[in-house]
Structures are given as C-alpha cells and as structure tokens.
Amino acid sequence: MKTSQRSLTLMAIVASLLLTACTSTASSQAQPQLTIYSGRSESLVGPIIMQFEAASGIKVAVRWGSTAELAATLLEEGDRSPADIFFAQDPGGLGAVANLLAYLPEEILQQVPQGFRDSQGRWVGISGRARVVVYNTDQLTAQDLPADIWDFTAPTWKSRLGWAPTNASFQTMVSAMRASWGEAKTRQWLEGIQANLPVVYDNNTAIVAAVAAGEVQAGFVNHYYLYRFLQEEGDDFTARNYFQPGGGPGSLVMVSGAGILETSQNREAALKFLDFLLSPVAQQYFTTQTYEYPVVEGVVAPRELPGLDTLHQITIDVADLADMQGSVSLLRETGILP
Amino acid sequence: MSLWSYTYEAIINRRNRPVANCRSPLHLSLSLWLVGGLAAAAVLLPILYLLVRAAGADQGTWALIFQPATLSTLGRTLSLALTVSLASAIIALPLAWLTTRTDLPFGKLWFILGTLPLVIPSYVGAYLMVASLGPRGMLSQLLNSLLGISHLPAIYGFTGAAYVLTLLSYPYTLLSLRAALLGMDPALEEAARSLGQNRWRTFWRITLPQLRPALAMGSLLIILYVLRDFGAVSIMRYNTFTRVIYLQYSAAFDRASAAALSLVLVSLTVSLLIIEQWLRGRARFHASAASARRTPPRITLGTWRWPALFFCAGVVTMGLLIPAAVLVHWLVRGLQAGERLLPVWESTGNSLSASLLAAAATLVVGIPVAYLGVRHPGRASRALESLTHTAYALPGIVIALALVFFTTNFALPLYQTLPVLVLAYTILFLSQATSSQRTALLQVPPGIEEAARSLGRTPRQVLTSITLPLIRPGLLTGFGLVFLTAMKELPATLILSPLGFKTLAVQVWSAVSEAFFAQAAFPALILIVASSIPMAVLVIQEHR
C-alpha cells in the first residue's frame, strides 16, 4: 500500500509538471497570424522569417519539415489545411501540390523572371541554386573535368563518381535533361553513368563530405552545400565546385519557391510575406547567408560565386521541371531507383 | 531429485492450464477489454488509412509491387533485421547479466550508459558513424597519422547498416533482459547450484531458458524497428522495404503507391508475428509455487572483472562515446569558427514532456493488452497484440499521415495538438510497452493471484496490489523504452506537433541535413544528457 501511495504522489507530480509544460508552450504561441509550412530548414531560412516578423509586425508560426513530407501532409489535409504558405526546397514539391495553391497577383509574379516561376502563376521562385560538379582538390583539378555533364559517361570515370538519385534536386536535373535532350538521350546518360558504377549517396551533403574525404573524386550536387562545409571546416577543406561551362542540363539553375494555399484565410499577410522574400533585403540575405542566387534584378551575387550570367544556364520551362513523375519512372526503368 | 524435476517442470511445462479465466468477474474483464478495444481501434487507424489510400492505386502501382524486385527487397530487409537482432542479443546478454547479477564495478552506470544509444535518431547515428568510422573519417585519419594505415574497409551497404542498427537498437534487448533478470525467481538457480551444477551449466540450463521470452521480445522489437527504419538504411545506402516506401513519397509524391507498398509491409509483419506466436508455444516461465521475492546474491567476478569491464567499456565506446566524440568535435570546431548556436531549452522541455506523456499513456493503455494476452489467451487477445506490433513496424510517416487524414476529416479542432501527437506516439510505441509488460507477467505465477482472490480480494484489488507491483520491472522497462524512442521520433513529430513545438530530435535532424554540424551537435548532446536523467531515475526506482 505504501508503494502505491508513493507512486500516486509521483504520478501527481509528473502530471502537474507536464500540465505546466503544455500550457506554457500553448500560451507562448497564441493565435499565430501566418502559418508557414517550410520544407527549407530553420538553419537556412529561420533568420529571414524572423526579420519579416520584426519588419511587418505580423506573427508567424512555422512547421519545419522536409519538402516531400510536407507536400504529402498538404495533400492529405486538402481544403482543411491550417497552412497559409508552402515554402519548398524544389519545384517538384510545389508541382505536387500546385492544385492546392492560389493564383498569385501579377505584381508578385512580375518581380521574378519567367524561368523562375510557375508558368500558371501559382508559385514564385525565391532563391536560385545551380547544379555543379563538386570535386576533390587532392585528386583532380578543374582542368580534368569535362565541360558537359554528358562526358561523365566516358569509361574513364568508372568508380570515381558519386550521385544521389533519390534527391529531389538531382531528379529535377533529370527533368531538365528530358526537356532539353529528350527521353532517349537522357536514358543513355543515366545508363552510361550507371555503367560507371557511381557510388550512391542519400543527399548532397553526403556527396560533398564523401568527395572531400576522397571516397569518390567527383559528384553531382547543388552549388551551395560546399560553402556550408567551408564555413564549418575552413579553407583547407579538400573539395571545390566546378561550374560546367558546357551550358547543358549540367549547369541548370533551379529555384526554391513558395506559394499561397487557396484555403488560406490570411491572404493579405501571405502576400506581404512573399513580397518580403523578394525584397532586396531578403534576396541579399539568401546570397550572403545561404550562398544562393538572387531571383530578382539588382541584387549582387556573393563574391565567391560566379555570376548568374556567366553560368551558361539553359532555359527550361518550369512546368517541365516540376513534372517529377516522368523522371522518377525513367529512373525506375533504368534500375537506378528501386 | 524431486526438487530438480520440480524446477525443470516449472520452466518447461508445456501443458497450458487456463488460468483464472472464469474467475474474473465481469466488470474488471469488461473494463480491461474496453481499454484493450480502444487500443485496438487506435492501432487500426493506420491500417484503415492505408486501405483507403491504396484503393486509389492504379495498375502501375500493382505492377510495381508484383515484380521479382519486391521479393528481393523483402529478402534484403529480413536478412538485415535478423542479423541485427542476433548481433544485439550477443551484445545485450552479457551486458544485462553483468550489470544485474555480478559485482561489476559501476554496474548501474554501465547499464544506463548502455541504454542511451537508443535515443540517437538513426539518421543522425548513421551520419555520426560515417563521420567517425567511414573512409577518411576521424578514425581513419587517426590511424593514418599514427600508423600510416590509409585504407579502412568500406562501411556502407549491408555491413554498415547492420553495424549502425545493432549499436542503436541492442538496448531493446538489454532493457528487456534486465527486467527479466530482476523479475526472475532466484530459487531455481539456487536449487540447481545446490544440486551440484556449476555456475556455467546453471546459466545455460536454468537462467537462459527463463530469459527466452525476454530475448524473444527484444528480438521482435528490433526486427520491427529495422523494418520501419529509414534513416540508417538511407545513409548506409541499403535498400530496405521502408526506403522504397519513402521514395514513393519523396520522389514521386505518390501516396497511393506508398500505401500499397506499406500494406505489403503489414502482411510481412503479420506473417512474422504468426511465426513468432507459433514458436512461442505454450511454455510457462514462472515458478509453480510462490516464493519470497528477493534479490539474488551478487556473483563475485574476481579477476574476471577486468575482461568484463573491458567488454562494457567497448560496447559503450562504440555505441555512445564515439558518436558523442564526433558531436563534441563538431561543436568545438563550430564554436571556434564563430558559429551561432540555436537555443535548445524550449525544445528540451518539449521533448521531455511529449516523451514522458507518451511513456505514461502507453504504460496505461498497454497493461490491459498485455494482461489479456497472458491471462486470457485466445484469438481476440492475440489479434490485439499483433495489431500493436503491426503499427510499430510501419514507417513513422505512414502513422503520421494516417492521423492527418483522420483528424482533419473527423476531429479538426484536435489537429496538430499535443493530444494527437501523444496519440501518434502511443500508436507507434504501444508495442514496446505491451511486450515488456507481457514478459514480466509471464514470470508471475497465476497461483498468487488466485490465492489473493480466494482470500477475498476483489479482482481489481488483486490487479493493483498483487499483479502490478509484481510486474514493476516490466512496467518500468516499457516506460523507459517508450520514453527513449519517443525522444528521437521524427516524422510524426514534424507533421503532428503543435505549431512551433520543436523537439531536440527535430532540431538535430534539420541541422545535420543541411550540414550545419555545430548547430546539430549541441541539441544532440543535450538529447543524450536529458534522456539519461529519467533513465537514471528509473534504474534507482527498480529497487524500491
């Protein structure tokens, strides 16, 4: 009996502790004005969202997650979503929920060049990222690398490459290949790389780490991951980016983007948020803090990055980039994805 | 001689006596079945959701499933799961025995440290292993500078996945074995010793057979854990079934195919459970007669203490110290480079409160499920138990989306609130609580309960004053397991937590995935430290 009394007291203490914990968290986020589902991580975009709160006086609450999980959640929520804004890492995630997004006004859309927004006007690009080849500086120099991504199918690259076929950015590049090369040539490229026995990684971060470690000599990634490593590990980090001068899909520039949910009750605040993300302040933040490219005119790209105009980028309809289904089936048919 | 056969019969008695079945008056049974039924309804939600979604799958999906590659993925997944559970048993058995039964110095400390790898999210754990033991990782650089060894064996694929998952999940077996060792009646071992059996033979013939349900429980939980794991197999690049399911969401945004594939995982789990229940047989694991409950005398290790200490230190080094060392390295390096750290105190509070609530909820809901399974064996209670395990084998994202579906459609005001998050944890982890409770219940002779009944106690009094105190180690183990695994839960937390409710695991994940290593290290270290405190309290509670 004594034991049960003691455990009862214990339980009461625990319960009251928990109750205070719950109420304190509940009260600290009373009535958020604007709800954002962010597929971009807090480390990257948290500070700029806080700046928006301070500048606009609008209270913001963010659900952080991966773009794919949040897209699935939005699809599941349908017209009952509490979200006002979906801020996604890649066009594919926005394409998947495009039917749930509201059409944006021209004054937002016009700020961004055509290649960086939804052709139907349901989302806009917020920051640009370039596909690059990251290479190990002990084993290779930029001169050893081909100008066009096609040439990595040469047998000399056997067992020297790393890629991340499950990664959304990689799949977007495959979409770009399909749009500019056609299905047949894209299939040949995939099979050619596959024949070179590339090492499969889970994401860009893992590839950059592996290239620097010399596990592989080169890998296909987005440009900005390298700068994170340089910041953490210093300049003797043994990997650098190679921006392919060939101008093919290997030098694709794509965007992260955001849209407003059709069911949003806070359209005014949501529009203000998008407007803010496209303002010089926010665009400057993306270029200096996350090493991405601005999507609006008149913002200077960081000094470490080659300018957008020097990138030999190819122009591809964003709708083609957002169509992931075709790319995924192609990756499956070639046995690259399970 | 007669004593010997008595103990033997106690262990391997294969006659199953229906126990106290008809003596439980209706109202207790009813309330047990009521809570059990609620639990069943909760764990059925994900399966219902999968059926709804899979109904929308097209021809292509079914073609995707009915192909030889599916079978080979299943085979790969199973072989990984079995390897991990076997390796875990090999680590956990000596560790559990040394820390409960011998005079090993700092036994409790080794045990607490030994359970902590369970709080490391598998995605992060795998990342840390690669950073420390991978090609050109920290170990390799160390060996290179000291000994000139420049090439380490590759750690990816099956070996790497098995290594990481073993180190992250052996605590399941460790915790369940400890509970079984503490709950075991030492009379049998003493009888064997007094009959001239040496320690070694006693262990093999008396102790080990009695540990069978605990070993089986730990192994089952590990197998199910491996089935649902996504993080470690992704980093280690080993395609298991769950990875294929995740790809449907992440690459194709295809919920129908993901659901159809998840149903294949459900049927695999159900088949495994049928095999398990068949293997379980009808053995009984309690003494035939009641005896005084007491702590068995500690075995003096003597000089054996050194290899024993070496073993414990080795396990803790690989499972906890190496990952922690990488974290400290990241943190120091980041701080030197002037990295800005994100605050963690609020997330620490959130992690602790949500996990403790989940552990308490599964404790309460689990008791009827376990009790009915052991004391009222039958088709219904077996089905109930299997359902809890099935939910545990499903990837977290499936459970999360199922609850999104049901709450947005039928309980919108509750959507993304703490109660629904705790419900998600309960569905996910109920299996861990019930299996620990079940293992403990198996050690309680029903005779004691019957005696209490015949002395005039009501069934409810028997349950609260006899049965529950007797299965205390099992209750605590279940609580600890759920607490530790809820601390690291990711997909359900990301999707279902109240807005702005950040946990430590979420912070770690979000920073690691973007290569913000210093920002990941701090909350990860706090996660380990914060988890160790309740675990220490649990271990101290054991002996009250």
Side-chain angles (χ1 to χ4, degrees):
Chain A
M1 280 295 97
K2 218 174 157 191
T3 354
S4 73
Q5 250 171 28
R6 190 168 36 214
S7 46
L8 264 178
T9 349
L10 203 74
M11 274 169 69
I13 293 170
V14 169
S16 54
L17 269 178
L18 294 179
L19 213 64
T20 45
C22 303
T23 46
S24 72
T25 49
S27 60
S28 69
Q29 18 137 330
Q31 300 301 310
Q33 297 266 310
L34 190 65
T35 303
I36 300 173
Y37 279 17
S38 176
R40 308 211 59 196
S41 87
E42 185 174 14
S43 328
L44 291 175
V45 301
I48 196 67
I49 292 178
M50 275 159 70
Q51 273 191 46
F52 168 74
E53 268 193 309
S56 67
I58 296 171
K59 211 163 159 34
V60 180
V62 191
R63 177 167 303 282
W64 307 100
S66 77
T67 298
E69 279 165 351
L70 290 176
T73 306
L74 283 168
L75 290 172
E76 213 56 81
E77 290 169 347
D79 55 8
R80 288 157 191 246
S81 177
D84 298 307
I85 298 255
F86 182 35
F87 192 0
Q89 184 90 285
D90 48 74
L94 289 158
V97 300
N99 286 336
L100 300 171
L101 298 177
Y103 290 94
L104 296 174
E106 283 299 312
E107 60 264 31
I108 298 269
L109 294 171
Q110 286 311 324
Q111 299 182 33
V112 176
Q114 198 142 37
F116 289 166
R117 57 178 149 94
D118 178 32
S119 46
Q120 301 203 42
R122 290 166 300 188
W123 54 267
V124 282
I126 299 296
S127 60
R129 53 277 298 275
R131 291 296 294 180
V132 295
V133 175
V134 63
Y135 66 97
N136 180 295
T137 49
D138 287 344
Q139 295 162 348
L140 294 175
T141 65
Q143 277 77 44
D144 301 323
L145 295 160
D148 193 304
I149 197 162
W150 172 265
D151 296 320
F152 281 106
T153 53
T156 45
W157 287 100
K158 191 159 238 160
S159 307
R160 296 162 71 190
L161 296 172
W163 68 356
T166 55
N167 177 261
S169 299
F170 175 83
Q171 290 163 3
T172 309
M173 182 177 73
V174 173
S175 298
M177 288 176 169
R178 288 167 53 231
S180 70
W181 288 349
E183 297 285 326
K185 188 174 173 189
T186 307
R187 183 187 288 266
Q188 274 178 17
W189 184 80
L190 289 170
E191 284 166 353
I193 299 290
Q194 186 79 325
N196 278 339
L197 308 173
V199 180
V200 177
Y201 294 91
D202 190 45
N203 54 32
N204 288 311
T205 305
I207 295 181
V208 176
V211 165
E215 257 181 80
V216 286
Q217 296 182 357
F220 309 129
V221 294
N222 292 351
H223 76 278
Y224 54 96
Y225 290 92
L226 174 72
Y227 304 101
R228 283 294 324 144
F229 278 90
L230 290 176
Q231 198 173 345
E232 296 259 343
E233 309 212 1
D235 279 341
D236 48 357
F237 187 69
T238 49
R240 285 297 182 272
N241 279 340
Y242 174 65
F243 290 81
Q244 291 196 307
S251 33
L252 173 74
V253 175
M254 56 200 172
V255 288
S256 74
I260 300 177
L261 274 295
E262 208 163 28
T263 47
S264 164
Q265 303 292 314
N266 298 312
R267 202 175 148 80
E268 277 307 302
L271 283 170
K272 271 190 192 150
F273 180 67
L274 291 191
D275 211 39
F276 175 78
L277 287 184
L278 296 173
S279 70
V281 178
Q283 289 292 309
Q284 202 64 61
Y285 168 86
F286 285 117
T287 56
T288 51
Q289 297 301 310
T290 69
Y291 306 96
E292 289 172 285
Y293 285 104
V295 292
V296 299
E297 298 288 318
V299 176
V300 206
R303 158 167 75 72
E304 296 95 323
L305 289 183
L308 255 191
D309 46 332
T310 65
L311 280 192
H312 313 280
Q313 44 172 317
I314 50 166
T315 330
I316 287 167
D317 188 351
V318 191
D320 287 332
L321 291 186
D323 160 40
M324 306 299 279
Q325 292 284 356
S327 305
V328 171
S329 346
L330 189 59
L331 286 165
R332 255 195 214 126
E333 284 162 26
T334 44
I336 293 165
L337 285 187
Chain B
M1 193 60 222
S2 67
L3 183 61
W4 173 246
S5 60
Y6 150 75
T7 58
Y8 192 71
E9 195 251 6
I11 300 163
I12 322 268
N13 189 341
R14 288 189 177 271
R15 277 178 306 122
N16 191 31
R17 199 154 46 101
V19 174
N21 215 345
C22 42
R23 290 178 219 174
S24 265
L26 213 55
H27 67 274
L28 178 72
S29 278
L30 251 179
S31 47
L32 285 176
W33 279 109
L34 194 71
V35 181
L38 281 176
V43 288
L44 258 179
L45 290 179
I47 295 170
L48 284 177
Y49 163 78
L50 288 177
L51 290 172
V52 170
R53 278 286 159 260
D58 58 9
Q59 209 77 44
T61 303
W62 299 110
L64 179 75
I65 290 173
F66 294 110
Q67 61 170 350
T70 305
L71 267 186
S72 74
T73 309
L74 281 178
R76 266 203 307 272
T77 312
L78 267 182
S79 59
L80 180 68
L82 293 173
T83 309
V84 171
S85 72
L86 187 71
S88 298
I90 293 171
I91 294 177
L93 191 59
L95 199 55
W97 186 79
L98 287 169
T99 52
T100 46
R101 284 302 178 84
T102 70
D103 64 346
L104 180 81
F106 311 110
K108 281 184 182 173
L109 180 68
W110 290 119
F111 170 76
I112 295 170
L113 293 177
T115 60
L116 288 180
L118 205 56
V119 299
I120 304 175
S122 76
Y123 177 87
V124 179
Y127 208 101
L128 294 171
M129 298 293 175
V130 174
S132 54
L133 306 178
R136 306 265 184 119
M138 282 162 62
L139 175 70
S140 142
Q141 283 173 13
L142 196 71
L143 288 180
N144 199 3
S145 59
L146 292 181
L147 308 166
I149 299 170
S150 65
H151 206 74
L152 283 180
I155 53 159
Y156 297 106
F158 181 86
T159 330
Y163 177 80
V164 172
L165 285 169
T166 302
L167 285 180
L168 295 179
S169 60
Y170 79 84
Y172 283 117
T173 315
L174 175 64
L175 275 156
S176 64
L177 282 175
R178 181 181 174 91
L181 282 165
L182 290 174
M184 193 184 284
D185 186 346
L188 297 176
E189 289 170 349
E190 284 161 11
R193 292 281 286 141
S194 72
L195 286 163
Q197 301 290 316
N198 65 25
R199 212 159 255 162
W200 191 239
R201 278 177 66 86
T202 310
F203 179 79
W204 283 106
R205 297 194 55 184
I206 307 296
T207 317
L208 197 58
Q210 290 188 88
L211 291 178
R212 224 175 59 192
L215 269 176
M217 170 210 141
S219 306
L220 181 69
L221 287 179
I222 288 174
I223 288 173
L224 300 180
Y225 177 78
V226 174
L227 290 188
R228 69 194 287 263
D229 175 71
F230 169 67
V233 293
S234 299
I235 300 274
M236 291 303 172
R237 308 175 214 143
Y238 186 75
N239 279 330
T240 62
F241 214 75
T242 291
R243 189 155 187 233
V244 177
I245 293 173
Y246 258 86
L247 283 178
Q248 300 304 315
Y249 289 116
S250 66
F253 300 99
D254 183 352
R255 290 170 298 153
S257 300
L261 284 164
S262 303
L263 283 174
V264 179
L265 193 59
V266 169
S267 30
L268 173 71
T269 314
V270 171
S271 337
L272 282 176
L273 290 172
I274 290 173
I275 296 172
E276 193 263 345
Q277 284 180 344
W278 177 71
L279 284 177
R280 194 190 273 174
R282 293 176 159 184
R284 278 167 36 204
F285 297 92
H286 50 76
S288 293
S291 65
R293 188 52 187 286
R294 66 214 144 80
T295 322
R298 302 242 151 191
I299 291 163
T300 315
L301 284 173
T303 45
W304 282 102
R305 127 176 8 155
W306 300 110
L309 277 174
F310 182 76
F311 172 79
C312 295
V315 172
V316 169
T317 304
M318 306 227 285
L320 190 66
L321 290 187
I322 290 183
V326 179
L327 290 172
V328 170
H329 171 69
W330 284 353
L331 186 64
V332 170
R333 191 182 65 189
L335 288 177
Q336 280 170 350
E339 277 281 320
R340 184 180 50 91
L341 298 179
L342 293 173
V344 295
W345 309 119
E346 195 184 321
S347 354
T348 309
N350 289 344
S351 282
L352 284 173
S353 62
S355 307
L356 287 172
L357 275 179
T362 49
L363 175 81
V364 175
V365 180
I367 289 169
V369 180
Y371 188 84
L372 292 170
V374 174
R375 291 289 186 250
H376 299 257
R379 205 167 283 167
S381 59
R382 254 205 317 271
L384 184 59
E385 221 187 312
S386 305
L387 269 176
T388 63
H389 290 315
T390 311
Y392 183 56
L394 282 170
I397 178 129
V398 171
I399 311 285
L401 290 177
L403 284 176
V404 173
F405 175 79
F406 283 106
T407 38
T408 50
N409 277 306
F410 305 110
L412 195 56
L414 285 177
Y415 183 52
Q416 294 179 340
T417 58
L418 195 61
V420 171
L421 181 63
V422 172
L423 175 65
Y425 286 166
T426 309
I427 294 174
L428 275 166
F429 304 133
L430 184 58
S431 155
Q432 300 180 349
T434 54
S435 19
S436 337
Q437 291 164 355
R438 177 193 161 80
T439 317
L441 267 172
L442 286 171
Q443 292 179 327
V444 177
I448 303 181
E449 293 167 359
E450 288 161 18
R453 282 285 290 134
S454 70
L455 290 169
R457 296 294 175 94
T458 68
R460 192 177 298 271
Q461 283 173 327
V462 173
L463 186 67
T464 52
S465 65
I466 307 286
T467 315
L468 292 185
L470 280 176
I471 62 168
R472 192 186 166 91
L475 294 176
L476 291 175
T477 304
F479 189 92
L481 273 177
V482 175
F483 168 73
L484 291 178
T485 38
M487 285 293 280
K488 71 171 169 185
E489 207 284 337
L490 272 177
T493 315
L494 285 173
I495 293 176
L496 294 171
S497 60
L499 259 180
F501 186 91
K502 240 178 312 170
T503 65
L504 289 170
V506 167
Q507 268 193 314
V508 176
W509 163 82
S510 125
V512 164
S513 57
E514 296 293 340
F516 283 79
F517 298 119
Q519 279 187 19
F522 188 44
L525 288 167
I526 299 288
L527 178 67
I528 294 172
V529 174
S531 311
S532 64
I533 297 165
M535 287 311 289
V537 173
L538 282 188
V539 171
I540 293 160
Q541 281 286 308
E542 270 168 1
H543 289 287
R544 290 273 172 87

